[in-house]
Amino acid sequence: MITRFAPSPTGPLHLGHAYSAMLAHDMAMAAGGTFILRMDDIDRVRSKPEFEQQAIDDLHWLGLSWPTPIMKQSRSEPRFRANIQKLAQMNMLYPCSCSRADIENAASAPQEGVPTHGPDGRIYPSTCRHRVMADFQEGDAIRLNMERAVARATPLPHYEETGARYSGTRQLDARDMITSIGDVAVARRGMAAAYHLAVVVDDHAQGITHIIRGEDLFEATRIHVLLAHLLGHPIPVYHHHRLIRDDTGKRLAKRDDARAIAKYRADGATPNDIRRMVGLPAI
């Protein structure tokens, strides 16, 4: 078992991060496996070295350990480009010049009964699908042609899922992928890869066998399974855990500085206090 915790260093870690990291570490140690820390710092604008160091300090304080050196996603660009080229050679990709406003306007009159949003946000209305990669221009995003992708991937893969929402074997559904996910971005403007492709490529590079993360990514797993299958990667086992929420039931975000691990540390909390707050047994 090889699992990972891969925060984006764009703000301080909060209790939700602590729960996810400690759960992954606990599960890896119980299985005699390996826990890996990776920095998903592909967002060059918002990622900051001080947040990266703070995350490392917080996780060490919580009692977690991992092999070094730590992989940084920002150094994976050659690997991302190689995998984008692989998908392009399969005729799976096309360039997209649409802005967010363009997408909203094009999707402003959806057909009745057709989903408008999926795990990648607003479902892209396929405006640029007629374009080919030879037409790529600086500033374009790159999208996966979902219809071609599921046709190429047939028979669609099975994968193992555990967690509060579902436990068992699942299989991708072609119609569901096309209508409820659509043509997701694999690279965005100014970025070597978008999240969905980057996480699949780096997980494969690190030999990740089990992905332990929040249930907010449950639906996005279908995208990751499809990309892994198209790229010829082994498909990991997925475990989606419950989310840590505030007193109103709202999921914690990085802007919730009042629940930052660093603040609890400064106020004199212990690692076992944090474990108790998120519902994990003391160590």
Side-chain angles (χ1 to χ4, degrees):
M1 178 180 184
I2 305 175
T3 191
R4 49 72 168 171
F5 177 62
S8 299
T10 57
L13 300 186
H14 54 61
L15 287 178
H17 295 114
Y19 175 66
S20 191
M22 292 188 295
L23 178 63
H25 191 271
D26 287 359
M27 291 176 70
M29 296 304 99
T34 301
F35 170 86
I36 291 174
L37 176 64
R38 182 175 75 227
M39 288 293 165
D40 282 3
D41 60 344
I42 196 169
D43 186 338
R44 297 290 187 87
V45 175
R46 297 192 301 152
S47 294
K48 305 295 181 185
E50 56 268 30
F51 290 135
E52 180 181 326
Q53 188 58 53
Q54 183 178 339
I56 292 170
D57 293 344
D58 287 342
L59 295 171
H60 275 315
W61 176 76
L62 288 169
L64 279 56
S65 60
W66 51 84
T68 55
I70 297 170
M71 178 188 281
K72 295 186 179 183
Q73 200 171 59
S74 58
R75 297 175 182 171
S76 297
E77 291 190 6
R79 189 160 50 238
F80 298 153
R81 287 194 293 269
N83 281 273
I84 287 174
Q85 181 63 24
K86 186 174 181 178
L87 291 171
Q89 289 171 348
M90 300 178 194
N91 200 25
M92 297 288 104
L93 305 181
Y94 62 88
C96 173
S97 59
C98 297
S99 66
R100 290 189 179 184
D102 293 335
I103 295 171
E104 287 295 326
N105 291 335
S108 61
Q111 297 179 2
E112 185 175 354
V114 176
T116 59
H117 289 77
D120 200 38
R122 168 71 79 173
I123 297 174
Y124 181 65
S126 307
T127 308
C128 291
R129 191 187 278 179
H130 64 282
R131 297 178 63 191
V132 295
M133 285 303 294
D135 184 39
F136 179 86
Q137 298 179 13
E138 188 69 27
D140 282 345
I142 301 176
R143 292 187 177 273
L144 179 72
N145 185 317
M146 188 60 74
E147 291 185 357
R148 289 181 182 172
V150 296
R152 173 94 182 205
T154 301
L156 291 170
H158 294 77
Y159 61 101
E160 295 300 316
E161 167 73 48
T162 65
R165 188 182 299 193
Y166 183 93
S167 289
T169 301
R170 305 185 76 196
Q171 183 181 21
L172 299 184
D173 177 88
R175 180 174 176 79
D176 175 61
M177 298 294 289
I178 294 167
T179 61
S180 68
I181 295 177
D183 294 357
V184 296
V186 297
R188 298 192 185 277
R189 292 180 178 86
M191 300 174 69
Y195 167 74
H196 297 303
L197 180 68
V199 71
V200 168
V201 170
D202 277 347
D203 283 339
H204 175 65
Q206 293 192 291
I208 303 300
T209 63
H210 292 69
I211 295 177
I212 300 162
R213 60 192 186 186
E215 64 178 0
D216 54 322
L217 289 168
F218 179 83
E219 298 296 345
T221 297
R222 294 172 291 165
I223 303 170
H224 303 164
V225 169
L226 178 63
L227 286 171
H229 183 67
L230 288 170
L231 293 168
H233 299 171
I235 298 173
V237 174
Y238 291 87
H239 176 88
H240 290 98
H241 59 70
R242 63 183 173 85
L243 300 178
I244 302 300
R245 301 181 181 275
D246 63 18
D247 294 339
T248 67
K250 182 181 177 183
R251 178 170 67 93
L252 297 185
K254 286 181 179 174
R255 59 182 173 273
D256 294 309
D257 290 344
R259 293 173 177 79
I261 299 170
K263 186 176 188 306
Y264 286 107
R265 291 175 59 189
D267 289 346
T270 68
N272 275 332
D273 289 333
I274 303 298
R275 294 181 71 91
R276 174 182 53 78
M277 291 176 194
V278 298
L280 289 173
I283 55 173

